[in-house]
Amino acid sequence: MAKFGYDEAVVVIVGSGAGGGTLANELCQKGVKVVVLEAGALQSPATFLNDEWKSFSQLAWLDNRTTSGNWRVAKDFPNLPTWICKTVGGTTTHWAGASLRLEAHEMKAKTTYGNLKGANLQDWPITLKDLEPYYAKAEDKMGVTRTNGIPGLPGNNNFKVLHAGAKKLGYKEVHTGNMAINSVPRHDRGRCMQIGFCFQGCKSGAKWSTLYTELPAAEKTGNIDLRPDSHVTRIEHNDAGKVSGVIYFDKDGKEQRQKARVVCVAGNSIETPRLLLLSASNKFPDGLANSSGQVGRNYMRHLTASIYAAFKEPVHMYRGTTMAGIIRDEAGNNTKRGFVGGYEMETLSLGLPFMAAFLNPGGWGSEFSWWMEQYANLAGMWIVGEDMPRETNRVTLHKDLKDKWGSAIPNVHFDDHDNDLAMRNHAFTAGENVYKAAGAIKTFRTPPYPSTHNLGTCRMGLDAKTSVCNSFGQTHDISNLFISDGSQFTTGGAENPTLTIVTLAIRQADHIAAQMSSKNL
Amino acid sequence: MKIIPIANSTIALSECEETEGTVTKQLLPLTRREFLSGTGILFGSIAMGSTLAALAPSPAWALELKTLSTAEGTTLMKMGRVLYPHAKLPDAVYALLAKDLDAGDAKTVAMLKDGIASLNKAAKGNFDNANDAAKLVAVKSIEGTPFFNAVRGKCITSLYDNDMAYAAFGYPGSSWDKGGYITRGFQDLKWLPEPSKEASPEPYMG
């Protein structure tokens, strides 16, 4: 591993997940010197744990946060709005692997859906066509099944139930998904062992994670200095209004200043806007890159609801991949259903401990116990749908509460939009119908819980007055400050976002390297 | 997951042979009392021959409390059974709830003692001896109090994240150490039609 000096003006990337980890490798491959500051510790497939609570302590971002708004998460999990990771590799350690491209119409949400009251819709500043070549690179890099000649994964029992119900209802696009999990050995990683525990870090390394793909590849170039346990508290700028360095606390708790030529923020959609807001100065009193006032706004979390169904016969849904298959027929924009946008239905399973925690948060009594006793006979699915960006759904700095580094903690405010509620109700019914068609004796609607898909809080757009960054994630206000994670998303689409985050990072790396060569950065 | 952290009981099985999971007070061996120095003691046994018995260090179990009395520990166990009633789970699992709550600081202990008193009051004096319906009414009457929230919240981890619960509900826990499920039935479901090979290709077996 390279070691760069604190006074070397390198490209500093904050975060090592899908956005930051990919961007780091792409830049290193082009000969750019990169320092990656990762708040979390270094793990490996060897240290990952097949134990839900212990793994949660090992990987999850557990720093205190507060919540407000009418969403149920504020009541059930007031200090845990998200289920994302603080570890090298970020949330790519925890993600289930679903890798779907955005649809063309989703990138033109304003044009397609029109003016929706209470929704701050915009078209993306780029089209699907612009992204296609980069999507292709990302799919190859990540080894997405059903692309590049890679076969689909074998479906587990949970998929068999989903598939049988879906087919009975006449759904057409039902298969084991486009997954960044090796179905066959590829890129020095083995094929999936159907271990389960995809959420707890893949112990076989079959699932793509920047931890053991992008970051080691970057290391081979000699151009990366990866610093785990390094929590960034502030981005600094010079008199000209360009960012010049970052302040962080290192693994020994010592405050450090790393000089930077370019700063790329990839801390996921809560921490990224928080860091910009925490970096407010006399020159930028509302925070960095926030002349539009949009930093922290338009927070989206995908529809996120789940359905469990009990059957007379065993399912053993925990065996094998967590996201084992998909129904895509409801993903389109069909307003006859009473809402705009669409949703995916994807299998989901939880172990017994997390089933107790998430089935019906706060629930108790004999009905709850009945569901727990059905555990071996349960099948489960997750709803991933497009939720509406709203200016008032936002990340702000808490007025009073500070973290251990003395920085204001983030508050996450979220109110469901009527469109979200209509879509969720439709999806609950559709999901229940799938399981009833497969012979379920009972179904259960699990409410949204802490989200892993967090988007939109530093959105990209054409107009600097209404967006934070341009289509390359370059902030409108500060040309050497970039947004490199899902915060860039103008709207959320219905698809799991990781593939798009990786795609945007590859595209951003090309842009940064070119701008550096032409001395614009 | 927690492996049952209950102390191996030295009480002879014959002395606490019972079927309901509780032992009458007069059978308490004095030597045991002297040996344990805690504030209270919970004990019972797991039915011989059950799948769960194989997991316990011994069919007889005893649990020493650090801050709560035996009566208070027993009340917490019984409250746990009202919140999450499982005939499949022996008292030993509910004892884990009492043990985990017992580990709190002074403020928590005071809150628990007050809460237990209020639960007894709600059950007209004695929660433990109330019938099932009266127990449920008493628990419902304190729903939403900090005590209720603390006990209910602790139940989630105490009752459902231990090897006895895993066995009772059919969850095997860790699988990587057994090679995952690639050769152990991840697609053994036979009671529904098989998906096509396009929808679900054959597993790669090398």
Side-chain angles (χ1 to χ4, degrees), chain A residues 268-451:
Chain A
N268 210 315
S269 293
I270 310 293
E271 294 305 314
T272 291
R274 178 189 179 213
L275 183 57
L276 299 188
L277 296 173
L278 286 172
S279 303
S281 64
N282 286 336
K283 194 175 183 73
F284 300 113
D286 298 324
L288 300 185
N290 197 20
S291 64
S292 64
Q294 294 294 310
V295 169
R297 294 187 185 271
N298 311 304
Y299 170 62
M300 296 170 286
R301 57 191 311 277
H302 271 157
L303 202 63
T304 195
S306 23
I307 297 143
Y308 290 95
F311 295 86
K312 281 186 190 141
E313 309 272 350
V315 178
H316 303 299
M317 64 174 172
Y318 55 83
R319 293 181 186 168
T321 48
T322 304
M323 203 309 244
I326 190 166
I327 304 170
R328 300 211 62 191
D329 297 60
E330 300 284 1
N333 177 41
N334 168 14
T335 52
K336 281 184 197 144
R337 294 174 298 181
F339 54 87
V340 301
Y343 59 88
E344 315 277 354
M345 293 187 258
E346 304 175 353
T347 75
L348 171 72
S349 70
L350 295 173
L352 189 77
F354 274 14
M355 185 59 66
F358 292 125
L359 173 73
N360 184 21
W364 61 279
S366 53
E367 197 206 340
F368 187 99
S369 294
W370 184 87
W371 278 98
M372 294 305 295
E373 295 193 357
Q374 304 305 308
Y375 182 77
N377 292 10
L378 297 183
M381 77 164 85
W382 189 46
I383 304 299
V384 195
E386 175 163 14
D387 58 342
M388 288 297 112
R390 314 186 75 181
E391 278 203 301
T392 48
N393 287 347
R394 63 187 293 209
V395 176
T396 53
L397 299 180
H398 199 282
K399 281 189 194 71
D400 309 311
L401 296 175
K402 304 259 193 276
D403 66 15
K404 68 173 175 174
W405 298 281
S407 309
I409 69 164
N411 181 73
V412 183
H413 181 93
F414 191 91
D415 297 311
D416 285 307
H417 190 278
D418 286 345
N419 197 73
D420 306 345
L421 298 174
M423 187 191 291
R424 188 176 294 130
N425 276 331
H426 190 275
F428 271 140
T429 304
E432 287 178 333
N433 288 342
V434 166
Y435 284 139
K436 281 176 193 158
I441 53 174
K442 222 166 159 184
T443 57
F444 191 88
R445 297 181 171 196
T446 288
Y449 51 73
S451 182

Side-chain angles (χ1 to χ4, degrees), chain A residues 50-51 53 146 154-157 160 163 176 185 191 193-195 197 203 313-314 318-319 353 363-365 369 373, chain B residues 1 83-86 143 161 166 171-172 175-176 181-182 185-189 191 194-195 198-201 204:
Chain A
N50 273 191
D51 181 308
W53 283 114
R146 295 187 165 86
N156 65 3
N157 291 341
K160 284 189 184 182
H163 179 269
T176 55
R191 67 98 158 81
M193 306 283 290
Q194 299 290 335
I195 290 170
F197 294 98
K203 283 199 70 81
E313 309 272 350
Y318 55 83
R319 293 181 186 168
W364 61 279
S369 294
E373 295 193 357
Chain B
M1 179 186 72
L83 287 167
Y84 298 100
H86 290 294
E143 189 170 5
D161 191 22
Y166 283 20
Y171 175 61
S175 90
W176 72 273
Y181 291 101
I182 187 82
F186 79 106
Q187 45 184 195
D188 65 358
L189 188 152
W191 50 271
E194 285 292 310
E198 289 75 47
S200 174
Y204 171 86

